[in-house]
Amino acid sequence: MANEYTDNLPQFAYSAQQVQQYEAKAAKLSGTDLSTLMQRAGTAAFRFIENSQPKSSHVLIITGKGNNAGDGFVVAQLCQQAGFSVTVFALFAPESLTGDAQQAFSQYQGALVFSLNDAELSQFSVVVDGVFGTGFRGELPEHVCLCFDRINKLPVTRLALDVPSGINATTGEVASSAFLATETITFIALKQGLLSGSAKRFVGTLLLADLDVGEAFKTLVTPTSNYLNHQTFMAARPLRALDSYKNAHGHVLLIGGNRGMAGAIRLAAEAALRAGAGLVSVATHPDNIASVLQGRFELMVHGVESANELSSLMKKASVIVLGPGLGQDAWAKALFNCAMVTELPMVVDADGLNCLAYAPRRKSNWVLTPHLGEARRLLSHLEASLNENDRFAVAKKISHEYGAVTVLKGPGSLISEGERININRSGCAGMASAGMGDVLSGIIGGLIAQGVEAFAATNLAVYIHGLAVEQAAQDGEKGMLAGDLFEHIRGILG
């Protein structure tokens, strides 16, 4: 229904430009027009307020100078008619509105103000952001920043219409003093920039109202990214035959754990076991053998003094995980260079990525798992400038430059293989803990060992990793340890 919204989000996302370009065509194909879409958008946002707030609530609607303001005036009119106390705070002169937005303004009969002091702001229980929509990019005007800085501190419901003002809905870039929504109701289709990086914090809970043109829109436009759901990933888990045995489920060799850094390689190795790998070997500094083996005797741990000792271990492996706790000294670089010679599938993380940044190269059949800082180093050799705040561009660039499946870690992690890109929807703030990346690398290696293709294995691993964190976080996000994920990984994979 046109007035409905949902938190059951679809599996595809688009750029803001695609929505702007095709919304009129989708409306026409659905037998309607843009004016009706504005009414439907405002109505869907009103329904959220009606369903979540008592009628005694005082609603503040902040408007700009485009169609997003038109949506806001529709919300204002409907709230007023329903008995809510409504104030519209115009950050731009409404006389500058045109078209459907101007018509929505002319139909609103309530209060309109151009300034509010802190005492006046404190009376509101709902604030609706109708300032900038999908077309926003760059930085917010100073007077808008000053307004949002005050609004964002209020302990109230903050509802953004379509896109929180200050968010680039294509790249996910966040302007200074962007509107900090507790909920965002986006229209027609998911915009990819709302789903990854710091933008997720400003979006809050994301809802979708497709305004009854979503199906038509999908027939017109090719998604820029995927946003796969739980059911899709659970169906993609590797199966294990009743008569299978350990050698049928692959052999992961993990290389890392320099002197004094046994923990990282141990976490990655156990994660590979928990992800279902049949055999797991660890090549680590001789000083670490007892530490890595302690309490996890299923691991085959080898002390490696020099790189030439790796050759026999690599011959037995079906996939390599390189980097956790590796360090960047001569020992680390020798092991890194030796591992680079193999044609085995490979997962490179942590100091493996730092070594790679010093000596960039292309390979096939490998996975790189950088966070933004590591991504910056991986691309530092390029002369062409790249907007590092555009996570989608960064992930794709690494994938193209290195020939790799790339995981750009962070909220809404991105998994890229050339032009294919997936936005992960699992995880929470509990992931901000030491060793989480090592666990992810181990899961990826464990899935590849079982025969899952690299891109599919990486997508599945990132989702499982985030879901395990969510489950572990039920006991509290703060103080969560990477090792707390292991029992949940096992349970999710089944």
Side-chain angles (χ1 to χ4, degrees):
M1 296 295 291
N3 298 335
E4 296 301 319
Y5 57 88
T6 181
D7 61 358
N8 183 19
L9 302 178
Q11 297 194 81
F12 304 103
Y14 304 83
S15 70
Q17 291 84 353
Q18 285 177 312
V19 177
Q20 289 177 306
Q21 182 179 354
Y22 287 96
E23 61 182 352
K25 294 178 181 178
K28 184 176 180 180
L29 189 61
S30 302
T32 188
D33 55 28
L34 289 177
S35 177
T36 302
L37 294 192
M38 182 174 288
Q39 292 296 319
R40 291 177 180 177
T43 302
F46 162 70
R47 293 292 182 216
F48 171 82
I49 296 171
E50 184 181 47
N51 293 338
S52 62
Q53 302 293 324
K55 286 291 174 63
S56 58
S57 298
H58 195 162
V59 181
L60 175 65
I61 298 171
I62 311 174
T63 59
K65 55 183 177 181
N67 284 339
N68 204 235
D71 298 337
F73 281 112
V74 174
V75 177
Q77 181 188 17
L78 292 171
C79 284
Q80 188 180 55
Q81 291 173 350
F84 290 97
S85 178
V86 177
T87 298
V88 174
F89 181 8
L91 289 179
F92 295 87
E95 290 77 17
S96 64
L97 297 172
T98 60
D100 296 328
Q102 195 282 327
Q103 183 179 358
F105 166 61
S106 66
Q107 293 174 349
Y108 171 65
Q109 302 298 318
L112 188 68
V113 300
F114 296 92
S115 65
L116 287 170
N117 60 41
D118 289 341
E120 291 168 325
L121 282 175
S122 66
Q123 66 184 305
F124 299 104
S125 54
V126 182
V127 179
V128 179
D129 166 25
V131 181
F132 294 108
T134 55
F136 177 84
R137 53 183 61 83
E139 292 296 328
L140 292 167
E142 183 178 1
H143 74 289
V144 177
C145 291
L146 292 173
C147 172
F148 287 171
D149 285 342
R150 297 160 65 204
I151 296 294
N152 290 344
K153 296 175 183 177
L154 297 177
V156 298
T157 296
R158 295 184 296 273
L159 175 66
L161 302 181
D162 205 10
V163 176
S165 294
I167 305 296
N168 184 317
T170 295
T171 67
E173 294 174 83
V174 180
S176 299
S177 301
F179 186 82
L180 183 63
T182 56
E183 289 85 16
T184 296
I185 182 164
T186 199
F187 305 127
I188 300 178
L190 290 183
K191 290 84 178 174
Q192 65 176 25
L194 305 182
L195 304 172
S196 184
S198 296
K200 284 177 63 69
R201 177 166 67 91
F202 287 82
V203 167
T205 300
L206 184 60
L207 308 169
L208 172 67
D210 76 357
L211 312 184
D212 276 0
V213 299
E215 290 301 317
F217 181 84
K218 286 193 294 185
T219 66
L220 295 169
V221 189
T222 300
T224 52
S225 50
N226 296 316
Y227 193 52
L228 303 179
N229 63 21
H230 178 77
Q231 292 75 19
T232 297
F233 282 119
M234 293 301 96
R237 292 173 295 177
L239 301 176
R240 179 168 291 193
L242 180 63
D243 58 350
S244 65
Y245 61 107
K246 63 185 180 183
N247 291 324
H249 302 295
H251 187 160
V252 182
L253 171 63
L254 298 101
I255 303 172
N258 207 325
R259 182 183 283 111
M261 294 189 285
I265 200 70
R266 162 60 188 275
L267 287 167
E270 182 163 351
L273 282 173
R274 296 297 186 181
L279 297 163
V280 176
S281 293
V282 178
T284 188
H285 193 281
D287 289 1
N288 294 335
I289 293 176
S291 298
V292 175
L293 191 60
Q294 180 65 37
R296 188 50 61 226
F297 303 113
E298 297 86 351
L299 298 173
M300 296 176 285
V301 185
H302 306 268
V304 175
E305 290 276 7
S306 62
N308 58 19
E309 298 174 54
L310 280 180
S311 298
S312 59
L313 297 176
M314 290 193 293
K315 289 178 181 178
K316 299 177 183 179
S318 50
V319 60
I320 291 173
V321 176
L322 173 64
L326 182 65
Q328 299 179 56
D329 61 7
W331 179 85
K333 292 175 182 177
L335 266 60
F336 174 85
N337 289 329
C338 181
M340 283 293 116
V341 176
T342 182
E343 295 182 0
L344 288 171
M346 184 180 296
V347 182
V348 184
D349 184 28
D351 279 324
L353 295 170
N354 292 324
C355 290
L356 181 60
Y358 285 116
R361 68 195 74 195
R362 286 180 62 87
K363 285 175 65 70
S364 60
N365 202 20
W366 64 337
V367 180
L368 308 182
T369 63
H371 53 61
L372 187 57
E374 292 162 339
R376 188 183 299 117
R377 291 191 284 275
L378 288 172
L379 296 175
S380 62
H381 65 286
L382 299 180
E383 294 182 4
S385 62
L386 181 71
N387 179 7
E388 67 179 39
N389 295 316
D390 182 348
R391 289 172 53 82
F392 295 85
V394 169
K396 288 181 180 180
K397 190 64 175 177
I398 293 173
S399 182
H400 282 296
E401 287 292 316
Y402 290 88
V405 174
T406 300
V407 183
L408 184 57
K409 295 185 288 194
S413 292
L414 301 179
I415 303 93
S416 174
E417 183 183 47
E419 291 304 306
R420 285 201 295 175
I421 194 161
N422 186 67
I423 309 168
N424 184 55
R425 65 167 79 191
S426 66
C428 68
M431 303 177 85
S433 180
M436 289 290 179
D438 303 313
V439 172
L440 174 61
S441 294
I443 300 172
I444 298 172
L447 292 175
I448 292 175
Q450 295 171 77
V452 183
E453 181 269 332
F455 184 67
T458 305
N459 279 301
L460 179 58
V462 173
Y463 181 77
I464 288 171
H465 181 252
L467 185 59
V469 172
E470 289 179 18
Q471 293 180 359
Q474 292 178 12
D475 293 327
E477 289 182 345
K478 299 183 185 71
M480 186 192 307
L481 305 179
D484 295 336
L485 272 58
F486 292 137
E487 64 179 288
H488 299 287
I489 294 166
R490 178 186 176 193
I492 293 165
L493 277 165

